Amino acid sequence: MASVAVTAGVSSSSATASKTLTLRRHNHLPSFSGLRRSSPHDATASLSLAASRGRKSPSSPPFLVVRAAKQSPKLSGRNLRVAVIGGGPAGGCAAETLAKGGVETFLIERKLDNSKPCGGAIPLCMVGEFDLPLDIIDRRVTKMKMISPSNVAVDIGRTLKPHEYIGMVRREVLDAHLRERAASAGASVINGLFLKLDPPPAPDAPYTLHYVRYDGGGASTKCTLEVDAVVGADGANSRVAKSIGAGDYEYAIAFQERIKIPDDKMEYYKDLAEMYVGDDVSPDFYGWVFPKCDHVAVGTGTVTHKPDIKKFQSATRLRAKDKIEGGKIIRIEAHPIPEHPRPRRSNGRVALVGDAAGYVTKCSGEGIYFAAKSGRMCGEAIVVGSENGKRLINEDDLKKYLREFDRLYWPTYKVLDVLQKVFYRSNPAREAFVEMCGDDYVQRMTFDSYLYKRVVPGNPLEDLKLAVNTIGSLVRANALRREMAKLS
């Protein structure tokens, strides 16, 4: 799910990658191992890719030039063939990038009308960076309410500039648009179910994909497809990940109801989103009410208490009762959401992106931007390594994408992991968290980081003041927790 949570002023995003894929050497790269219990992924090789030639629109991957490794065999009479499994933001962006880069691309998606249970929030920078048309954005949220366990509400959004907003999209609309762009670029979009992947019998031989193609009218055909490389973008339950032994990860269950509410109540939510925190709505996450085109999405999630998800959903509806009363549930959705990157994200000529790789942040649950970004970066690495589809790639080419993604976004995942551990551990800590969200400096730093996916330089004096206030809030939270323990 993609959503926005105020992160107490800590810059929660790293600098955005440039539109040209320029990757640098790094001797010391922090891994994602601190965000999971399993072993870290393999160390990735350092790299240096050439910059693009000529300026292109944000949606068009730059023309990348690289000197391929001498051992990388040149393909004869055909271009590199790549299968992308999964047609969400990660798969759609990967397929578009590959097709535009001269790679013969196959995009396999099981459900072309899929509507994943997702808050649907996207940062402002994604609209420009991925050249998204404004008509797929249902709502432009400029106000948020963060509501504490005791129902103290803090208004957020005072520091936004007139042109700034958080975009709200429906996943079935966004995903279809990105797949259509991939098809327009030359990718073959296949409505089918991926079954398994046979490894190549020799180092330079192709992979064999087994899938069921849906032919319409309930008919289907079992098919195979030989490809040189595979991009796994098939979500939290990724079969591609299982095929390459990528390892497991902790996951949350997201549960969401789409509720059609009366017009007067919808007017209240026209540019407003709400987030509820408390043990009643989730012991380790939050509940939300996000506006869509003609309805609201009401949902919650949890990692630690999955069997109680419906109870938490009922509590979220109860907290928002006065504002959604009279509404009719028009759709119910549930889906697993990864809590940290997988132990391994590439193997041979197979790489994982999006939820399949585990690219959802803790605390905020944001995943759409990182899915689209990882898909594009993986596609660019393949285009570069294959010299625009003319050569076979190897795992080193795919690890270049992983290394650059980690360099850009590892701090985001680490900071939000820490914030979740500090502020989501108890109701008193959540009260402190909401209290801090009322600070203008916290809001400005948070929104600048979220909207533009960049590290925002802080004011040293304001940072010191924020640190003192944070300590004070936590001290009060601990004191309150002790008093509540006495009463119980």
Side-chain angles (χ1 to χ4, degrees):
M1 105 190 44
S3 57
V4 183
V6 174
T7 55
V10 183
S11 297
S12 65
S13 299
S14 299
T16 305
S18 61
K19 293 176 185 177
T20 59
L21 182 66
T22 305
L23 309 185
R24 305 172 180 85
R25 292 186 179 273
H26 296 277
N27 294 325
H28 303 287
L29 176 69
S31 75
F32 278 109
S33 57
L35 307 186
R36 60 172 179 262
R37 296 174 185 168
S38 43
S39 61
H41 67 290
D42 296 338
T44 53
S46 58
L47 61 131
S48 178
L49 301 183
S52 66
R53 298 189 303 189
R55 187 179 180 85
K56 299 224 174 181
S57 70
S59 65
S60 302
F63 182 82
L64 298 163
V65 181
V66 70
R67 181 174 299 170
K70 290 182 180 179
Q71 67 270 23
S72 178
K74 194 165 185 177
L75 299 170
S76 178
R78 67 176 181 89
N79 282 10
L80 187 77
R81 305 181 88 204
V82 176
V84 179
I85 312 300
C93 289
E96 180 188 17
T97 303
L98 289 165
K100 285 184 174 180
V103 175
E104 187 178 0
T105 307
F106 303 88
L107 173 60
I108 301 176
E109 167 56 37
R110 176 179 63 89
K111 195 174 181 183
L112 295 177
D113 61 348
N114 185 45
S115 54
K116 182 179 175 182
C118 175
I122 60 173
L124 183 60
C125 67
M126 184 174 178
V127 178
E129 187 177 348
F130 289 86
D131 197 22
L132 299 179
L134 296 182
D135 61 2
I136 72 168
I137 299 174
D138 287 341
R139 299 279 175 174
R140 300 185 187 190
V141 168
T142 57
K143 295 178 288 187
M144 296 186 67
K145 284 186 181 292
M146 178 71 72
I147 303 168
S148 77
S150 62
N151 279 327
V152 172
V154 168
D155 292 322
I156 299 169
R158 297 188 302 269
T159 63
L160 287 177
K161 299 178 179 65
H163 70 282
E164 293 179 329
Y165 62 89
I166 298 164
M168 290 290 169
V169 299
R170 284 166 290 159
R171 281 291 302 273
E172 62 268 29
V173 176
L174 174 66
D175 295 5
H177 170 74
L178 294 175
R179 286 194 300 268
E180 287 167 6
R181 278 207 327 213
S184 297
S188 298
V189 178
I190 300 170
N191 183 199
L193 173 65
F194 169 75
L195 298 175
K196 66 175 184 174
L197 178 67
D198 292 340
D204 297 336
Y207 290 86
T208 301
L209 271 68
H210 299 262
Y211 68 98
V212 175
R213 187 185 68 222
Y214 300 137
D215 301 319
S220 62
T221 306
K222 285 189 176 181
C223 303
T224 59
L225 176 67
E226 289 189 343
V227 294
D228 301 303
V230 179
V231 177
D234 49 338
N237 291 324
S238 172
R239 292 186 177 184
V240 176
K242 291 180 176 64
S243 295
I244 65 171
D248 296 324
Y249 50 26
E250 288 289 336
Y251 66 93
I253 289 293
F255 190 96
Q256 179 173 273
E257 295 166 327
R258 300 196 191 193
I259 303 178
K260 179 85 170 177
I261 59 177
D263 291 344
D264 61 324
K265 295 184 183 295
M266 195 68 216
E267 180 67 18
Y268 171 77
Y269 284 111
K270 68 177 181 180
D271 58 0
L272 171 73
E274 291 181 327
M275 297 175 61
Y276 294 86
V277 291
D279 284 334
D280 58 333
V281 299
S282 176
D284 54 343
F285 209 58
Y286 60 87
W288 66 86
V289 181
F290 286 172
K292 303 297 179 181
C293 58
D294 60 354
H295 62 275
V296 291
V298 181
T300 185
T302 181
V303 177
T304 59
H305 292 67
K306 298 182 185 72
D308 296 325
I309 188 66
K310 289 188 177 180
K311 180 180 75 174
F312 300 141
Q313 178 68 8
S314 296
T316 303
R317 282 202 315 270
L318 183 63
R319 294 273 293 273
K321 179 181 177 181
D322 292 343
K323 290 160 283 190
I324 63 173
E325 198 167 20
K328 178 184 178 182
I329 298 174
I330 57 177
R331 175 175 256 165
I332 298 175
E333 305 157 335
H335 201 272
I337 304 294
E339 273 291 286
H340 56 72
R342 288 187 188 271
R344 185 167 194 173
R345 291 168 285 156
S346 71
N347 189 354
R349 286 172 270 135
V350 182
L352 304 176
V353 295
D355 281 13
Y359 295 149
V360 176
T361 61
K362 288 193 176 183
C363 189
S364 69
E366 183 186 3
I368 294 179
Y369 175 83
F370 297 111
K373 190 68 175 180
S374 63
R376 175 176 283 185
M377 290 176 69
C378 183
E380 288 175 338
I382 293 172
V383 170
V384 168
S386 68
E387 291 185 342
N388 295 93
K390 303 305 180 187
R391 289 184 178 274
L392 193 65
I393 63 164
N394 56 38
E395 188 170 4
D396 286 342
D397 296 308
L398 298 176
K399 284 188 173 181
K400 292 170 184 178
Y401 132 67
L402 295 175
R403 186 176 185 85
E404 181 69 352
F405 188 91
D406 291 0
R407 183 186 73 82
L408 290 171
Y409 301 118
W410 180 87
T412 297
Y413 288 83
K414 188 62 180 176
V415 165
L416 291 175
D417 181 41
V418 170
L419 286 173
Q420 180 165 319
K421 289 174 180 175
V422 171
F423 288 108
Y424 282 21
R425 72 184 189 277
S426 68
N427 275 351
R430 295 183 186 101
E431 294 284 353
F433 178 61
V434 173
E435 176 187 330
M436 291 172 56
C437 290
D439 185 273
D440 281 355
Y441 181 65
V442 170
Q443 293 190 23
R444 185 170 66 253
M445 293 290 288
T446 300
F447 274 113
D448 281 353
S449 297
Y450 171 78
L451 291 177
Y452 302 108
K453 290 292 173 282
R454 67 189 181 199
V455 173
V456 181
N459 180 302
L461 190 59
E462 291 289 345
D463 285 342
L464 179 60
K465 176 184 172 183
L466 176 60
V468 172
N469 289 342
T470 301
I471 293 170
S473 295
L474 290 173
V475 168
R476 288 192 295 276
N478 285 327
L480 178 59
R481 182 167 54 182
R482 286 195 297 269
E483 291 304 315
M484 291 174 67
K486 290 177 184 178
L487 291 174
S488 63

